[in-house]
Amino acid sequence: MSAKRTLPLLAQHLDEVHACTRCPDMIGPVVTGHPVASPVLLVGQAPGPREGEFGRPFAWTAGKQLFKWTASIGLDEPAMRARVYIAAVCRCFPGKTKQGGDRVPSPDEVAACSEWLDRELAVVGPRLVIPVGRLAIETFLGKAPLADVIGRRHRGSRAGRVFDLIPLPHPSGASTWWKMEPGATLLGEALKLLGSHPSWREVVLAAPPSYPAPPPPAPRAR
Ligand code: SF4
């Protein structure tokens, strides 16, 4: 589908996502990226406590680390936001656990939000999907140790689309997986695979989008 046809569909889709109130235990606002027609789609887990006030995903410390990784293979934060479609398993902040960490979304919440992700996969039609973090990886590849799936290229299918999958670990500073072996080596392998993937290369070499992404709707408290 051409960018001219895809972008209005995505803009309309994101308006609907921003109005979503399906999950009673989730904390708004709904956080999404821009409508971007791209062969590359990145899937995060869920926004943290600060993303809502910025109105965009990966707006805080985990994002700084993620965009450091992507900049090392050609796409810094502005390029990522303009040229890669950024989706998520869940689009609202799940809240904190009693222990102080971010709550992992429940299976019902994942299922509720997966309808939005399915529609994005169907409309964007990516050739490369990058699941970031355990929850996003499990959504596509099932439960498996991170060391078995990161640093490898997989084939996946969903919502009538078939694509390559190159998973990345969660870039949170609280995660030690990618700082220690074998995580550090496998992260390096994953970035090498991403940087040489034809769809990633296409996005790196692309001229800035001819249809500038409109700003996302203003965040709303629920
Ligand atoms: S997490 Fe997803 S499905 Fe649940 S309320 Fe937020 S946008 Fe809607």
Side-chain angles (χ1 to χ4, degrees):
M1 201 185 294
S2 71
K4 246 185 187 167
R5 287 183 61 202
T6 303
L7 288 171
L9 289 176
L10 287 175
Q12 188 186 332
H13 162 76
L14 290 175
D15 281 348
E16 288 180 47
V17 179
H18 276 265
C20 180
T21 56
R22 285 176 193 165
C23 306
D25 295 334
M26 284 288 194
I27 299 167
V30 174
V31 177
T32 73
H34 300 302
V36 179
S38 175
V40 182
L41 186 146
L42 182 143
V43 184
Q45 304 200 123
R50 303 299 300 270
E51 269 73 15
E53 68 191 79
F54 291 97
R56 58 179 188 270
F58 292 108
W60 202 238
T61 48
K64 282 192 179 65
Q65 186 59 56
L66 174 68
F67 297 128
K68 229 188 248 180
W69 292 344
T70 61
S72 73
I73 50 171
L75 293 176
D76 62 9
E77 178 173 352
M80 280 293 289
R81 294 195 188 281
R83 299 186 195 187
V84 169
Y85 190 94
I86 299 181
V89 175
C90 287
R91 324 300 170 105
C92 299
F93 174 49
K96 293 282 184 188
T97 62
K98 281 186 188 138
Q99 291 71 34
D102 290 355
R103 180 175 70 82
V104 177
S106 70
D108 282 352
E109 290 164 341
V110 171
C113 221
S114 70
E115 198 182 302
W116 300 126
L117 181 55
D118 282 346
R119 195 198 275 174
E120 286 159 340
L121 289 165
V123 173
V124 175
R127 296 193 293 282
L128 171 62
V129 171
I130 308 168
V132 178
R134 192 181 296 275
L135 183 67
I137 294 169
E138 283 178 10
T139 299
F140 289 94
L141 294 170
K143 280 191 193 295
L146 291 183
D148 288 356
V149 290
I150 292 179
R152 292 173 53 199
R153 174 167 151 174
H154 310 260
R155 226 30 204 155
S157 63
R158 182 164 161 174
R161 300 291 189 176
V162 181
F163 39 78
D164 287 336
L165 282 160
I166 300 180
L168 291 177
H170 197 281
S172 155
S175 163
T176 54
W177 188 87
W178 53 270
K179 296 173 188 159
M180 298 162 61
E181 294 300 346
T185 298
L186 293 173
L187 168 63
E189 291 298 317
L191 291 174
K192 248 188 254 167
L193 285 171
L194 264 184
S196 60
H197 191 281
S199 297
W200 184 270
R201 297 305 310 155
E202 184 183 325
V203 171
V204 169
L205 297 173
S210 42
Y211 302 97
R220 272 175 297 211
R222 287 215 303 265

